[in-house]
Amino acid sequence: AKPHQRFVIAGTCMALCYAFLIPPGAVQDEMGHIETTYYYSNKLLGIEEPDAESIYVRKTDKEALGKIQTTPTLKEYNYFILNITHRTDDTELVKIEGTKGTDNWLLYVPAILGVTAGRLMNLNGITTLYAGRFFMMFAYLLFAYLAIRKIPVGKAAMFLIVLSPVFIQQSCSYSYDALPIELSMWFVAELFSVLYEDRKIKRRDLIVMAILAFLLASCKAGTYIPECLLFFLIPKEKFENPKQCKRMRLAFIVIMLLGFLINSIPYLMMVLGITEATTELQQYSNSLNCYTVSDVLLQPGNTVRVLITTFLQYADFYFEGSFAGPLGWLNIAISPIWAYTMAGLIFLGMMTVKDEPEYITKKQRIWIALALLATVAMVVAAMFVSWTGKGSTTVSGIQGRYFTPLLFYFFFLFRGKFIKIEHNVDDIIMYAGLGLNVIIISNILSSVQTV
């Protein structure tokens, strides 16, 4: 079978394992994302919230949410097993404390649809929670399948990245980090298919990349805009004529700006102190007494010192955390041996086979590297002014998963003249990666049994 066909089976099996072994609420910050999903589900169903600090759910939903623990025990798993197939006729609404965590409902679309479907079908609370997760899982399987199928180079590397533990964990949860990661992988596949296939750019390519750029620009306060700007690596010769090239590039910039403005301006205005905090996350951020933009700009010495200290202390944590844990609130540790073995396999999957085209020029390598650095800078800047309290010696709130969308680009930079392999070993790489995933699942089981 081809890599994307293998992924359908392997991805489904792994996703189901992660979805059930790390249950709702056990992924970092998932409870807040669940509350946000119910908030937007209520909007979809035309249900008005009781007040600014509460949301409506059904009694069965409240019961299920009350059973959720960030560190699940055997008792909780038994509750899930005994109740997941039951239906309910009780549609009475009750209040729970909570509200939306963000204004960007696009990040929750699959989960909103899943939860809404569960409520309309009178599924009980725990089944409805899993319906939201399953819709997130279907989106993951679809986007990852399209990415592996479309990418013209590094298919084995893409296969391992989308099956890395962090990628699967986030994609099979309510986390709003899931869609940006998945859409980023699809975008790089679409971009590289135009760059490295011997053909002209098609209308379908332009439409898909424009939609993906709009969505990525709307996520995370525009953090992934530098990745979208790699669209300009597509040479003029790929377009029908110079006029079409100019028109499409201008349209691409406008689309990205629209995506950014629609969902990011409210956040930026809050950070700059122009407006009051409106979401739960913004209110929590305000309570931290964080560094302000003026603090960062007017105290360059302190800013540089904090940045250097941050990366000296946590560089390895960020790298490992971008693909290999630790997982969930259980902090399920993945041995550095397995993490760096997986990194080595991804690296090997990106290498050039003898007599194969290199697929990357020096100029492209430089622009990709600059885009990666710009994205890292935007992640750090966002955390500096929204999660780092004044006086802190390191930037708080940075998670490795924020850099997961950069993994393919990062490893791609090493492709070319540096290392070449004698024969294509993609099959070995993919099966070895699946073997590592089985070992990691055994780590998850051991952690759960310990609890």
Side-chain angles (χ1 to χ4, degrees), residues 88-395:
T88 181
D89 295 323
D90 188 356
T91 57
E92 180 185 350
L93 297 177
V94 295
K95 291 196 305 183
I96 63 169
E97 290 185 8
T99 185
K100 61 179 177 179
T102 174
D103 292 312
N104 191 353
W105 56 269
L106 288 171
L107 297 171
Y108 297 94
V109 168
I112 293 168
L113 294 176
V115 166
T116 303
R119 297 169 80 176
L120 291 174
M121 295 170 63
N122 292 330
L123 302 179
N124 68 39
I126 193 62
T127 313
T128 300
L129 280 175
Y130 267 106
R133 272 197 163 198
F134 287 154
F135 272 61
M136 292 291 284
M137 185 180 77
F138 295 149
Y140 154 67
L141 293 172
L142 174 62
F143 296 145
Y145 169 85
L146 292 172
I148 297 171
R149 182 179 180 180
K150 193 72 176 178
I151 198 79
V153 57
K155 284 185 181 290
M158 179 67 80
F159 182 92
L160 292 190
I161 289 171
V162 299
L163 280 174
S164 63
V166 168
F167 203 115
I168 303 177
Q169 174 193 258
Q170 298 304 123
S171 298
C172 296
S173 73
Y174 282 81
S175 173
Y176 68 174
D177 293 319
L179 279 182
I181 294 171
E182 296 156 11
L183 295 175
S184 179
M185 292 300 104
W186 189 9
F187 182 85
V188 67
E190 294 289 342
L191 174 66
F192 279 24
S193 72
V194 175
L195 277 175
Y196 301 122
E197 289 178 357
D198 186 18
R199 63 180 178 86
K200 294 279 189 179
I201 192 169
K202 302 175 184 176
R203 180 180 297 179
R204 179 260 176 206
D205 301 320
L206 293 169
I207 292 173
V208 172
M209 280 193 282
I211 293 172
L212 292 174
F214 175 86
L215 295 173
L216 285 170
S218 73
C219 299
K220 299 288 203 178
T223 297
Y224 302 117
I225 284 178
E227 175 191 351
C228 300
L229 290 173
L230 290 175
F231 174 83
F232 289 87
L233 287 180
I234 299 174
K236 296 178 181 178
E237 295 74 24
K238 291 282 185 176
F239 294 87
E240 293 296 331
N241 52 64
K243 186 177 179 180
Q244 186 202 36
C245 177
K246 291 180 180 178
R247 190 169 63 248
M248 290 300 100
R249 287 179 174 179
L250 178 61
F252 206 77
I253 291 175
V254 172
I255 288 168
M256 281 192 299
L257 285 175
L258 286 175
F260 173 74
L261 293 173
I262 287 173
N263 286 310
S264 301
I265 285 297
Y267 167 78
L268 292 178
M269 292 178 70
M270 185 278 298
V271 168
L272 295 172
I274 300 173
T275 60
E276 294 293 328
T278 57
T279 69
E280 194 172 30
L281 286 177
Q282 291 171 355
Q283 291 165 0
Y284 177 71
S285 174
N286 274 357
S287 69
L288 296 175
N289 188 28
C290 298
Y291 281 102
T292 63
V293 175
S294 60
D295 290 328
V296 174
L297 296 178
L298 299 179
Q299 301 176 26
N302 180 65
T303 300
V304 171
R305 183 166 55 253
V306 171
L307 293 177
I308 292 174
T309 304
T310 299
F311 282 97
L312 285 177
Q313 287 190 19
Y314 299 114
D316 58 338
F317 171 76
Y318 298 148
F319 180 69
E320 291 179 32
S322 66
F323 64 95
L327 303 176
W329 288 119
L330 283 168
N331 285 324
I332 299 166
I334 297 174
S335 170
I337 295 174
W338 307 130
Y340 284 99
T341 300
M342 183 170 285
L345 289 172
I346 296 172
F347 177 85
L348 188 61
M350 197 69 77
M351 291 302 101
T352 306
V353 179
K354 187 178 179 181
D355 299 326
E356 183 184 12
E358 294 175 4
Y359 288 102
I360 184 171
T361 66
K362 182 179 179 180
K363 181 180 178 181
Q364 289 172 343
R365 201 186 305 275
I366 292 172
W367 282 110
I368 291 173
L370 290 175
L372 296 187
L373 290 173
T375 303
V376 171
M378 292 185 73
V379 169
V380 174
M383 295 298 101
F384 213 145
V385 298
S386 58
W387 291 99
T388 306
K390 290 182 181 180
S392 176
T393 57
T394 58
V395 180

